[in-house]
Each structure stands twice: as C-alpha cells, then as structure tokens.
Amino acid sequence: MLDQLETLREEALAALQMISDSASLQAWEGQYIGRKGALTQLLRGMGGLSPEERPIFGKTANEVKQILTAAHDERQQLIQDRELAQDLEQGEIDITLPGRTAQIGGLHPSTQVLRRFYQIWGDMGFQVYRTRDVETDDMNFTMLNFPPHHPARDMQDTFYTTQPDVILRTHTSAGQIRAMWEYGDHGTKPIRVVLPGMCYRFEQITARSEVQFHQIEGIAIGKNIRMTDLKGTITEFAKRMFHPKAGVRFRASYFPFTEPSMEVDVECCVCGGKGCNLCKYSGWLEIAGCGMIHPVVLQNGGYDPAEWSGFAFGMGPERTAMLKHRITDIRYFWANDQRFLGQF
Ligand code: PHE
C-alpha cells in the first residue's frame, strides 16, 4: 500500500504540471486530495493493515497530502497571476476609462467672507490677532466699562459656565484689552489689529439671530487718532467690500466701551438706496458698530488717555455674507446643508 501512495503522489504531481486553468485545477483537487479523492480512498483501506504497518502508512499518507496541497496552492497562485495578466492584456478591465471624480469640498461662505475681511484690513495696515472664545467676565465686560450690574450687559445675553466668572465671549471686543497688552508694550506703542472669531449669545434662534456667529473687531490706537480717521477708514472699507461708490452713513448709538459711539449703514446693495425688501425700504443696511475707544478702556489696556486715543469697530461676517449674497436666513450657515453650501 505504501507503493500505491508513492504512485499516487507521482501521478498527481505529473497531472498537476499539465494544468493551466482554474477549472481543471478544481477538478484535479477533487480527483486527488478532495473528500472523495484518491487519497481518501487509500486511507479508507487502512483497516486491512497490520497494527505495525498502520502508523507508518498514516504518517506517509499525511506527508503525501501535505506535498500535494502545497503543490496545489503554488499552482493556483501561478494560474491566478497568469489569468489576471491575460485579462489585463485583453482589455477586459479598461484602465483608460476616466475614474469617478470625488466631490471636492469648498470653503464655507463665512470663511470666504472672513478672508476677504483679512485681505482688505491687511491692505489697510491691520494685522490679525486671534483671542479666546472662552473668556472671563472681566475681559468681556468689566474691563470694557460694563461694571457688574450695568444695564448695558442686558444688550448681550450671555452663556455662563460652571466656573465662576468664565463665560463664552459675547463679542470680539472681549479681545481688545488682550490685544493692547500684547502689542501696546505697556501703552507705549501704537497698534492696528483686527480680531476675528466666533461669538456666542443665549438668544432665541430665528432667521435673523443665531446663538453663535462670527465677528471681526478692529482697533487702532495712536497719538492724534480722531473721529474723522474712524469715519474715513470705515468708509474706505465699505467701498472695498461692497461697491466703490457705496454710500455710508453714521448714526449715533451707545456702547459702554466707546464714546462717542455710532452704528454704520451702507447703501443697500440690492436697490442702490431706492428701497427694497432687503433694506426694509429704508435704502440702508447696518454693517457695523464703532466708536472712539473710551478713556477707561484705554487705561485698562495700559494707555494714558491724555496722550493716546483710538477707535474700535465690530462687524459681522455672516451679516456681510447675507447682504452680499442676499441670503435670507442666518440659520443656513450652521445647518450643514450641502445644497446651500455648494452654491459658494
Ligand atoms: N461689540 C459690539 C457688539 O457686539 C460692536 C462694537 C465693537 C461697537 C467695537 C463698538 C466698537 O455689538
């Protein structure tokens, strides 16, 4: 019977050499090493052997099986490689077909407007300074001349944290003092910076107000900086941002950290001032709050208000984007709707 094993081995290996396709390989496997194959048949006859012969036969049969299995696997790999090469050569896979293009993302409309702001303010000599979203009550209010319990705090509904005195900034003005400390060198150097960032207010979400939105703050401090500098700077900005001939007007307003304070309107970009839906038939759109930095704030930032003066302004990129693109609902900005975002 050991001879039979040897014959089987030789015969099977010889047959394997002739095989060159997957189907025949499968047939070969069935014929020799499969569950109903020749090797299994031989093992079935083991019962007729003497107890001494049996283990020798069993061991040899196992070895034959291992040899044949290894030879089979090797052949299989060879055939698969060859078949793949053949397929490629015959062009069954057309590698010249154009692929499916992946959708390319774009910049969020807020990011686009912010970058336009940086560009314009950069051209006008302002550097960009990033301050923190999580602020102290001190920086957001007290140092800006809103003492505790000052009624002006009600203008901005605040998100408080579980830490006493730690809040989410309600406006980028919260970075004013930090910028003065960082660049003013104890009130000895002039500064011109813009502070962009997300602000948070505990407000009812509507088409016109969100609980989070960007602002971009600007401050300029120097000697002999006057209200006319502020008006000229803002007017120049509006022309660059909206329209070279855009009219601008200033209305008296109130902020605790500026004196005098103003709000800035630009001529409606849709109707050109004649009156339409967007400007609610006034011909004007509000774009900023601004004013001359209050002496108390200058002092808190390290400057001597007898010697130094400056102006500050705050603008909303989402509002600006809404005006420029006639977006009617601010909630679109954070809704992550591709149909909206894909338009920019
Ligand atoms: N921080 C003010 C607001 O959020 C805007 C502002 C900034 C006004 C700077 C004056 C000067 O409404």
Side-chain angles (χ1 to χ4, degrees):
M1 273 184 79
L2 281 175
D3 288 346
Q4 277 178 306
L5 269 180
E6 179 56 24
T7 315
L8 174 68
R9 188 177 73 97
E10 280 170 14
E11 190 189 312
L13 286 177
L16 191 62
Q17 290 304 312
M18 314 297 287
I19 286 173
S20 58
D21 64 281
S22 299
S24 316
L25 183 67
Q26 209 171 1
W28 179 91
E29 190 183 3
Q31 189 181 345
Y32 294 104
I33 52 176
R35 270 198 301 133
K36 290 182 183 153
L39 191 63
T40 316
Q41 299 297 341
L42 275 181
L43 280 166
R44 288 234 173 91
M46 229 165 84
L49 294 173
S50 69
E52 298 83 49
E53 286 172 320
R54 240 178 268 161
I56 302 172
F57 179 80
K59 187 168 169 270
T60 316
N62 252 336
E63 283 166 6
V64 170
K65 176 143 195 187
Q66 273 168 17
I67 290 168
L68 292 184
T69 308
H72 166 272
D73 292 349
E74 197 181 318
R75 194 80 191 161
Q76 190 175 38
Q77 191 60 51
L78 199 81
I79 290 171
Q80 279 172 356
D81 288 352
R82 202 186 293 154
E83 284 177 347
L84 179 66
Q86 234 166 32
D87 274 356
L88 286 174
E89 205 167 301
Q90 288 170 1
E92 282 188 24
I93 297 173
D94 183 354
I95 55 168
T96 64
L97 272 180
R100 291 193 192 94
T101 44
Q103 229 185 336
I104 299 173
L107 292 176
H108 191 280
S110 297
T111 308
Q112 293 182 26
V113 182
L114 270 169
R115 290 192 179 180
R116 181 79 188 118
F117 273 94
Y118 302 155
Q119 194 185 1
I120 296 175
W121 288 116
D123 288 347
M124 290 166 76
F126 287 74
Q127 75 185 94
V128 176
Y129 178 57
R130 288 181 187 281
T131 68
R132 10 189 127 168
D133 289 34
V134 181
E135 262 297 0
T136 59
D137 180 279
D138 238 24
M139 286 295 175
N140 197 84
F141 292 121
T142 313
M143 299 282 256
L144 295 178
N145 201 29
F146 295 78
H149 310 299
H150 190 292
R153 287 186 177 221
D154 285 349
M155 289 161 69
Q156 304 180 358
D157 292 314
T158 310
F159 280 115
Y160 294 90
T161 68
T162 48
Q163 290 289 319
D165 297 328
V166 177
I167 63 167
L168 297 185
R169 68 172 161 209
T170 59
H171 54 176
T172 43
S173 306
Q176 283 194 12
I177 300 288
R178 292 193 191 281
M180 293 181 207
W181 287 354
E182 176 95 14
Y183 296 112
D185 207 1
H186 304 284
T188 59
K189 290 207 177 103
I191 57 176
R192 245 188 285 175
V193 290
V194 287
L195 323 170
M198 193 68 90
C199 302
Y200 308 85
R201 289 190 199 175
F202 186 42
E203 298 214 27
Q204 181 80 37
I205 298 176
T206 68
R208 312 192 115 248
S209 65
E210 254 288 3
V211 290
Q212 64 175 76
F213 52 89
H214 286 99
Q215 275 192 349
I216 184 157
E217 188 88 2
I219 55 177
I221 298 175
K223 298 196 172 168
N224 302 316
I225 290 190
R226 291 167 300 185
M227 181 101 146
T228 44
D229 297 312
L230 168 59
K231 291 176 83 170
T233 306
I234 297 272
T235 306
E236 180 60 25
F237 167 82
K239 289 186 187 310
R240 294 189 190 193
M241 184 58 128
F242 293 99
H243 192 275
K245 292 210 175 78
V248 176
R249 74 175 182 187
F250 295 81
R251 284 177 288 111
S253 184
Y254 174 76
F255 303 102
F257 41 94
T258 46
E259 180 59 38
S261 303
M262 301 179 291
E263 271 166 336
V264 187
D265 297 336
V266 63
E267 227 164 16
C268 180
C269 47
V270 172
C271 61
K274 286 192 204 77
C276 70
N277 249 340
L278 184 68
C279 59
K280 295 204 217 97
Y281 298 94
S282 69
W284 296 95
L285 299 163
E286 185 190 322
I287 58 159
C290 65
M292 300 307 290
I293 301 176
H294 196 288
V296 167
V297 177
L298 280 173
Q299 211 153 29
N300 289 339
Y303 288 94
D304 175 2
E307 235 187 289
W308 298 82
S309 59
F311 62 73
F313 55 84
M315 301 178 164
E318 279 81 37
R319 246 196 94 70
T320 311
M322 287 172 81
L323 300 181
K324 273 181 92 87
H325 303 298
R326 298 195 219 170
I327 299 163
T328 50
D329 194 321
I330 197 171
R331 289 170 291 195
Y332 284 129
F333 283 90
W334 320 128
N336 276 340
D337 186 335
Q338 280 301 325
R339 291 168 302 178
F340 170 74
L341 297 174
Q343 295 177 52
F344 299 93

